[in-house]
Amino acid sequence: MVNYFLTIYLVNMRKVDFDSKTIKEHGLSNSEYKKICELLNRSPNLLELGIFSAMWNEHCSYKSSKIHLKKLPTKSKDVIQGPGENAGIIDIGDDQAIVFKIESHNHPSYIEPYQGAATGVGGILRDVFTMGARPIANLNSIHFGSPKHPKTKNLLIGVVKGIGGYGNCVGIPTIGGETYFDESYNGNILVNAMSLGLVKKEKIFYSKASGIDNPIIYVGSKTGRDGIHGASMASSNFDDKTEEKKPTVQVGDPFTEKLLLEACQELMRDDSIVAIQDMGAAGLTSSSVEMAAKGSLGMEINLNNVPCRELNMSPYEMMLSESQERMLIILNAAKEKNAKKIFEKWNLDFANIGKTIKTKKLILKFNKNIVGDIPIEALSIKAPVYDRKFIKKNIPKKQIISKDKFNKLKIIDTLIKLISHPNISNKRWVWEQYDHTVMANTLQKPGGNSGVVRIEKTNKAIAATIDSSAEYCVAHPLTGGKQIVCESWRNLISVGAKPIAITNCLNFGNPEKKNTMGEFIDCVEGISQACNYLKYPVVSGNVSFYNETKEKSIKPTPTIGGVGLIKDYSKMITMNLKSENNILIVVGKTLGYLGQSLFSRIILKNKKGPPPEINLFNEKNNGETILELIDKKYILSAHDISTGGILVSLVEMCIAGNIGVKIDSPKTLVNLYEFFFGEDQGRYIIEIKNDNFNEVSNILDKNSVFFEKIGTVQKDKLTLKNEFDIFIKELIDYNNKWFKSYIS
Amino acid sequence: MRSSVVIFPGSNCDKDIAVALEKFNFKNLMVWHNETTLPKSDLVVLPGGFSYGDYLRTGCIAAKSNIINGVIEFAKKGGLVLGICNGFQILIETGLLPGVLIRNKNLNFLCKNVYLKITNNKNNFLSKFNKEIIKLHIAHNEGNYYVDERNLKTLEDDNLIAFKYCDKKGNIAEENNPNGSIKNIAGIFNKKQNILGMMPHPERMIDKYLSGEDGKLFFNNIFSKHA
């Protein structure tokens, strides 16, 4: 390694070009380096090279994804702020808005699971509260390798503790999430954290700098040597030396985050702040450059004023450190004194480190010398953008399953095997480590269709869900992309929420590979089609490429965070079955399609074939009809039918309500396995009163929604005539067993 | 009835408890940890959270904070003091309550509903409870109560145990002990029974839309006694 730390950074002292080793260590290609020299009209010094490296890497520049992300719909009458800010914002009426975003922290979490996951939560919280919102809920999606892989258990334990350790301390409830195991994540786990905040519409803060000679204020923790080049690390593949990257993982301090949150909220009460952004990936560099770029102005920073945790920190380290819990503020000059007082009250650093300038440049001073001088545009709009080569995946051939494969099976054994599988088993062990009730507004905790928190002093509640389906995406990325959006939509519908918008976290392998790029493009296309049709726009998001170790890539895993509004939470629906003699209806048509289903993969060990088709018309129509039935108070409980098909969904409802169901034998002539385990899309199970059957069927008929009665709620057993008769208690045990034994 | 809720910089249940107190007709004031005196109060609450980050032993820095002398003085004069979760940990660190709260037996943070048996209702806090078994929420990493034999004997002999973890029917057994607390203890009183420290969060269960409403009984009860 070059010794970066003792080099003297005088702009006028550069004569020598860097060798290709140094350039490569900075994650830049030779052609990119050439472009830097052209933009500067000279070669950069080491500090400048580091800054280009931070801003031009995939994580910050979106250079491989940018042109494709433009296809996503980002507007609707409810959208206040789409992608491009710290987070997206939607209108929820009464002058209130919800700020939300999802972000990945995959690479650091694999290297150091506790700190990686903890700082992932910290980062997303800051993205939300930097916009003036108070965070009200967190969610997360975590993917691990095979449970049998030697690293999986420790990674799982570390990540869960890290997420809990951070969110619990700041005091934000974690109301939902998903935990998934698959060997494609053996060398690259996924940790995606989502946060939602509540803000008054007239109190939203943005990151666009404005005004000349306004002070640039640094607040929060001191800058240390942690996380230097974190963003570049997240923009490359892993290899045998991955462990050596530990020092590039940041260390979280949730207590300081809590102080920073409260101090910012206090400062945000008046008009002191002109612009504000958190120092996330690429720290001081990205925050200053992005704020200046948005405001079309420049920044002059005196690095001697940056609060440092360690002695003799160099400009290079200060600009590239990813120390946590820091914010950059452009302040109204007249308010500096008062602002300082607030941060002193909360025991946080507050330092004037520079000013906005007219020339669109980033000027860095240190020990009275100019040590860096870069045009802002070279770091922003002039950064490279690639239209990478790609290969699209054709839809695979449908599989024909021979009859004798079913003959060897028993329905009940199959069901037990599925509900005992790691990916279906009860995840209580995970979410009981997250405080899900702090703030005392949680109406639905993890484990249901969606998490729900109410908005104080109103009848409103916000529902949020997080979903991914890598199996469908790897089989056919276009269909997979559509499917996740639809699943997210269904999860919100099932609690009685009107879906409003999504945030997405696109986790993929190496974009320089044609197949990976093809997967990415198709997933984005699928997401785009579904979001367009459902009027469910994307308001924020994040792309994580290079989830690849030794040439082995993860399955394409776009994660969708959906947010919906419940106008009157007294009408909210839960999934637990309510009482005996109520009847259950499957809404949506069951064709019995088994391709890519849990049944095919686990029981038949067949991973081929296309995923189930998505019919967006039915999806929308079925969902809106469910909302109508909820609004008219006919529905007592509801659950979408997803992985595992009708029977697994039914069992989940029984377990949640600790009550049984007498299942009707299917009237159509489909094979029982296809009927009960098929994963046809756009379906829900609803519980209604027997007396209301006519009214409910009228509404379903009127809207041309296919439905069939599936059973009746009964005391404590799940029964299907001639097939099985099993106590719910037993099913609960099977469902709980795997996680318990795995952890202990 | 006037209440004061102390806010430490890392408190995160201060707002929740304030909402609950106001809902049940307390005139509540918030008190910043750097203050040295308490406003006139009938009840002082130390809320849940991570007072000063709790990177050291939970509650130990809070027990040396500016406001804490005021709280101790208030308690010694017989004022009602309630410590919930981190507040309980702080009360122990001040020495106002005996014992120690160590890490949960499975070493994990634990957030769930639990059943509690009210073991002493002859006091200022719980006298009007109309049921013996209630359901409240816990959310903590260090709620495993331990006390030496001599102090345990005093707690038992003087009936100073407020709640014990139990099952739905009130059975107190190891399998319904969520965190490993000695004798399933979830909350205790001081000798004069004007100080209550408890791990469960009544403020999170104050209406039917939350995961239970037994917290309502709790706040209603303090109020009715002193109205």
Side-chain angles (χ1 to χ4, degrees):
Chain A
M1 277 286 270
V2 183
N3 186 352
Y4 303 125
F5 311 134
L6 297 170
T7 321
I8 299 167
Y9 301 87
L10 293 177
V11 171
N12 54 8
M13 272 183 64
R14 78 191 77 78
K15 288 276 189 288
V16 199
D17 273 347
F18 291 104
D19 56 29
S20 37
K21 188 171 162 258
T22 313
I23 295 167
K24 205 177 162 203
E25 275 173 3
H26 280 79
L28 294 161
S29 68
N30 284 334
S31 65
E32 285 172 338
Y33 180 72
K34 228 176 108 192
K35 193 174 171 189
I36 292 171
C37 297
E38 282 166 24
L39 285 168
L40 289 177
N41 213 7
R42 57 173 166 87
S43 46
N45 65 16
L46 191 57
L47 169 64
E48 291 166 334
L49 185 70
I51 288 172
F52 273 102
S53 146
M55 292 309 295
W56 281 19
N57 68 52
E58 194 64 59
H59 193 80
C60 291
S61 74
Y62 293 82
K63 59 188 168 192
S64 305
S65 57
K66 217 174 206 167
I67 58 165
H68 304 289
L69 296 175
K70 284 189 181 141
K71 288 179 220 153
L72 296 168
T74 59
K75 292 190 176 104
S76 79
K77 67 173 183 31
D78 299 317
V79 175
I80 296 174
Q81 175 66 53
E85 258 295 338
N86 283 303
I89 309 182
I90 53 172
D91 196 332
I92 58 161
D94 312 317
D95 287 320
Q96 291 177 316
I98 295 292
V99 178
F100 69 101
K101 195 186 180 198
I102 190 168
E103 201 153 89
S104 61
H105 232 213
N106 305 337
H107 293 77
S109 300
Y110 182 77
I111 299 171
E112 213 304 288
Y114 184 94
Q115 294 298 344
T119 53
V121 175
I124 198 66
L125 282 171
R126 282 194 299 287
D127 279 336
V128 166
F129 73 74
T130 192
M131 302 204 74
R134 180 174 280 279
I136 55 169
N138 284 343
L139 294 95
N140 60 75
S141 163
I142 50 182
H143 287 65
F144 299 93
S146 157
K148 289 178 193 133
H149 188 274
K151 284 197 110 164
T152 298
K153 199 195 274 188
N154 282 339
L155 288 169
L156 170 71
I157 291 172
V159 165
V160 170
K161 272 202 190 318
I163 291 172
Y166 208 99
N168 298 349
C169 179
V170 182
I172 314 302
T174 299
I175 59 166
E178 55 167 6
T179 308
Y180 195 81
F181 300 93
D182 180 78
E183 60 182 16
S184 87
Y185 308 99
N186 280 355
N188 293 81
I189 62 169
L190 301 184
V191 175
N192 296 174
M194 173 176 169
S195 185
L196 296 86
L198 175 68
V199 67
K200 274 194 189 146
K201 259 166 82 176
E202 74 273 18
K203 283 305 231 175
I204 297 170
F205 289 84
Y206 294 96
S207 60
K208 181 183 164 187
S210 70
I212 305 303
D213 281 336
N214 273 331
I216 302 170
I217 306 293
Y218 168 122
V219 296
S221 284
K222 291 188 191 333
T223 297
R225 290 198 168 106
D226 51 334
I228 290 174
H229 274 313
S232 312
M233 174 262 293
S235 303
S236 64
N237 293 343
F238 279 163
D239 53 31
D240 289 329
K241 290 180 181 161
T242 297
E243 296 284 339
E244 291 172 15
K245 293 188 173 167
K246 243 178 205 168
T248 59
V249 179
Q250 315 84 326
V251 179
D253 174 2
F255 175 59
T256 301
E257 179 100 335
K258 166 79 174 156
L259 304 183
L260 190 60
L261 162 65
E262 298 302 340
C264 287
Q265 292 262 314
E266 215 169 306
L267 182 61
M268 285 164 169
R269 281 185 204 146
D270 66 11
D271 56 354
S272 301
I273 296 174
V274 175
I276 178 166
Q277 175 156 346
D278 84 294
M279 293 192 220
L284 191 50
T285 294
S286 67
S287 52
S288 55
V289 170
E290 285 170 15
M291 288 171 93
K294 281 178 191 154
S296 290
L297 43 74
M299 289 208 184
E300 185 184 293
I301 295 176
N302 182 357
L303 292 167
N304 290 85
N305 292 349
V306 170
C308 288
R309 198 193 299 147
E310 288 151 84
L311 286 175
N312 302 322
M313 282 189 62
S314 69
Y316 185 95
E317 293 169 307
M318 287 182 222
M319 287 306 288
L320 296 177
S321 160
E322 288 192 5
S323 288
Q324 298 290 292
E325 295 91 23
R326 302 178 299 161
M327 292 270 196
L328 202 62
I329 301 173
I330 311 295
L331 208 61
N332 183 335
K335 305 278 186 161
E336 194 174 333
K337 220 171 146 187
N338 181 51
K340 192 169 184 196
K341 235 171 146 180
I342 292 172
F343 283 83
E344 275 169 358
K345 171 188 162 189
W346 290 97
N347 256 322
L348 292 166
D349 270 295
F350 179 100
N352 180 327
I353 61 165
K355 59 181 184 193
T356 52
I357 53 174
K358 209 171 167 188
T359 332
K360 289 188 229 170
K361 278 182 161 191
L362 178 67
I363 310 258
L364 301 172
K365 290 183 171 172
F366 189 59
N367 294 342
K368 293 184 180 152
N369 293 312
I370 291 180
V371 292
D373 180 350
I374 310 175
I376 295 288
E377 288 184 349
L379 297 166
S380 52
I381 54 168
K382 287 186 181 157
V385 173
Y386 297 125
D387 185 359
R388 297 202 188 270
K389 291 191 176 127
F390 58 88
I391 298 172
K392 292 208 176 198
K393 205 172 214 166
N394 291 327
I395 197 140
K397 243 177 87 183
K398 274 197 180 169
Q399 299 287 296
I400 294 160
I401 306 162
S402 67
K403 287 263 149 58
D404 57 304
K405 285 223 161 135
F406 296 116
N407 293 339
K408 292 175 196 156
L409 301 171
K410 268 183 145 178
I411 295 258
I412 189 64
D413 297 345
T414 307
L415 174 66
I416 287 170
K417 207 164 169 188
L418 294 184
I419 64 167
S420 314
H421 187 269
N423 285 334
I424 299 293
S425 72
N426 191 305
K427 309 292 190 320
R428 188 177 291 273
W429 178 86
V430 174
W431 53 258
E432 278 187 352
Q433 294 188 56
Y434 307 146
D435 193 331
H436 47 260
T437 53
V438 63
M439 297 184 100
N441 286 318
T442 305
L443 305 183
Q444 284 201 46
K445 58 185 186 181
N449 292 308
S450 294
V452 183
V453 286
R454 65 179 170 193
I455 306 296
E456 266 166 40
K457 296 180 184 135
T458 72
N459 298 323
K460 292 181 294 189
I462 297 298
T465 174
I466 199 164
D467 302 280
S468 62
S469 32
E471 309 297 346
Y472 290 175
C473 287
V474 76
H476 191 239
L478 180 73
T479 313
K482 276 195 262 186
Q483 192 273 341
I484 325 158
V485 174
C486 294
E487 177 157 358
S488 161
W489 156 276
R490 265 174 249 146
N491 282 334
L492 296 175
I493 297 272
S494 302
V495 297
K498 181 180 174 284
I500 296 186
I502 66 166
T503 179
N504 59 17
C505 193
L506 306 170
N507 307 282
F508 288 81
N510 181 349
E512 294 159 45
K513 290 186 178 164
K514 291 178 196 162
N515 285 327
T516 304
M517 203 58 215
E519 288 171 344
F520 177 80
I521 292 170
D522 276 344
C523 280
V524 169
E525 174 62 31
I527 292 170
S528 173
Q529 285 181 16
C531 287
N532 255 321
Y533 194 90
L534 299 173
K535 298 197 171 53
Y536 192 32
V538 182
V539 298
S540 58
N542 159 249
V543 178
S544 172
F545 279 128
Y546 298 99
N547 290 289
E548 192 169 306
T549 297
K550 291 191 224 163
E551 303 296 309
K552 202 169 161 13
S553 167
I554 60 159
K555 286 178 181 162
T557 318
T559 304
I560 303 289
V563 177
L565 174 67
I566 301 174
K567 279 204 171 138
D568 174 0
Y569 64 71
S570 69
K571 288 184 179 174
M572 181 187 77
I573 300 298
T574 54
M575 69 181 255
N576 52 307
L577 292 178
K578 300 295 180 300
S579 43
E580 284 175 55
N581 302 321
N582 288 336
I583 56 172
L584 296 173
I585 291 175
V586 170
V587 174
K589 182 134 190 145
T590 303
L591 298 166
Y593 182 68
L594 286 175
Q596 294 300 330
S597 65
L598 189 71
F599 174 82
S600 288
R601 284 181 288 115
I602 307 301
I603 308 293
L604 304 180
K605 313 267 182 230
N606 183 345
K607 294 181 181 175
K608 291 179 190 156
E613 280 170 30
I614 298 289
N615 178 325
L616 290 171
F617 174 82
N618 286 346
E619 198 65 66
K620 188 160 191 272
N621 191 33
N622 296 359
E624 286 173 350
T625 306
I626 296 278
L627 283 186
E628 186 183 340
L629 290 170
I630 290 174
D631 194 52
K632 292 187 169 145
K633 296 189 173 177
Y634 287 125
I635 294 184
L636 301 167
S637 70
H639 189 21
D640 67 306
I641 299 175
S642 61
T643 320
I646 290 178
L647 205 50
V648 169
S649 296
L650 203 56
V651 167
E652 287 168 349
M653 294 176 87
C654 290
I655 289 178
N658 197 10
I659 194 165
V661 168
K662 184 166 173 264
I663 304 168
D664 300 346
S665 300
K667 288 176 196 73
T668 40
L669 284 172
V670 287
N671 157 326
L672 281 185
Y673 292 90
E674 290 175 338
F675 183 80
F676 284 119
F677 300 111
E679 295 183 7
D680 305 296
Q681 298 292 297
R683 294 180 301 160
Y684 302 81
I685 301 177
I686 57 171
E687 176 187 5
I688 61 168
K689 281 216 167 82
N690 205 355
D691 296 348
N692 290 333
F693 183 76
N694 286 339
E695 285 91 337
V696 170
S697 46
N698 285 342
I699 292 172
L700 289 163
D701 283 337
K702 179 197 80 185
N703 292 343
S704 315
V705 173
F706 185 90
F707 67 96
E708 54 193 316
K709 181 172 168 281
I710 176 86
T712 310
V713 182
Q714 65 176 6
K715 204 175 170 193
D716 48 10
K717 279 175 153 183
L718 185 71
T719 31
L720 176 61
K721 206 175 160 190
N722 301 328
E723 289 288 341
F724 60 81
D725 187 21
I726 184 167
F727 280 106
I728 301 304
K729 212 172 144 285
E730 269 181 80
L731 294 171
I732 293 175
D733 288 342
Y734 284 118
N735 191 228
N736 285 339
K737 207 162 113 189
W738 183 81
F739 236 103
K740 268 189 196 159
S741 62
Y742 185 62
I743 293 302
S744 61
Chain B
M1 181 95 170
R2 292 154 305 182
S3 57
S4 302
V5 174
V6 178
I7 314 177
F8 299 99
S11 296
N12 61 28
C13 303
D14 47 318
K15 227 181 105 245
D16 308 357
I17 185 84
V19 168
L21 289 166
E22 276 158 21
K23 181 176 170 143
F24 295 97
N25 301 322
F26 284 78
K27 276 207 169 71
N28 186 55
L29 287 171
M30 306 305 275
V31 188
W32 186 236
H33 67 118
N34 266 343
E35 302 290 324
T36 45
T37 50
L38 284 168
K40 244 180 167 320
S41 327
D42 304 297
L43 170 73
V44 171
V45 184
L46 305 183
F50 291 71
S51 42
Y52 292 87
D54 283 346
Y55 294 119
L56 294 175
R57 215 169 53 238
T58 50
C60 80
I61 297 180
K64 306 278 179 245
S65 61
N66 278 348
I67 193 66
I68 215 71
N69 286 332
V71 176
I72 294 171
E73 217 173 283
F74 175 80
K76 291 207 163 138
K77 282 186 194 153
L80 292 192
V81 176
L82 171 64
I84 300 169
C85 199
N86 191 225
F88 184 15
Q89 293 161 345
I90 296 166
L91 287 174
I92 285 197
E93 286 291 333
T94 59
L96 287 170
L97 292 172
V100 59
L101 285 156
I102 55 177
R103 282 184 74 184
N104 298 344
K105 67 179 168 193
N106 64 3
L107 304 179
N108 288 338
F109 189 96
L110 198 58
C111 180
K112 64 188 286 195
N113 282 347
V114 293
Y115 289 100
L116 298 165
K117 188 169 189 168
I118 297 173
T119 38
N120 170 357
N121 62 3
K122 293 184 179 57
N123 55 70
N124 284 310
F125 292 95
L126 311 171
S127 62
K128 287 199 177 160
F129 262 80
N130 54 6
K131 51 184 182 180
E132 196 188 16
I133 295 146
I134 58 169
K135 193 167 83 172
L136 289 182
H137 204 76
I138 53 166
H140 58 246
N141 200 43
E142 284 93 2
N144 182 351
Y145 184 71
Y146 178 78
V147 68
D148 62 25
E149 248 174 65
R150 187 176 56 88
N151 278 304
L152 180 64
K153 194 170 177 306
T154 315
L155 286 178
E156 285 179 326
D157 291 351
D158 297 355
N159 200 13
L160 302 178
I161 298 168
F163 310 100
K164 284 184 173 183
Y165 301 107
C166 64
D167 68 5
K168 212 173 177 172
K169 290 177 185 148
N171 298 313
I172 295 160
E174 191 48 41
E175 62 261 29
N176 27 65
N177 183 344
N179 53 23
S181 290
I182 191 165
K183 300 270 180 182
N184 286 36
I185 289 173
I188 56 167
F189 297 106
N190 65 332
K191 206 149 203 169
K192 283 201 285 186
Q193 303 192 29
N194 63 318
I195 306 173
L196 169 61
M198 60 194 285
M199 288 318 293
H201 289 271
E203 77 279 14
R204 297 189 188 183
M205 308 274 261
I206 53 168
D207 65 69
K208 65 177 178 182
Y209 296 105
L210 301 172
S211 49
E213 42 184 345
D214 281 353
K216 221 158 112 177
L217 296 172
F218 187 85
F219 293 102
N220 255 333
N221 187 67
I222 307 178
F223 186 63
S224 61
K225 177 83 182 171
H226 287 263

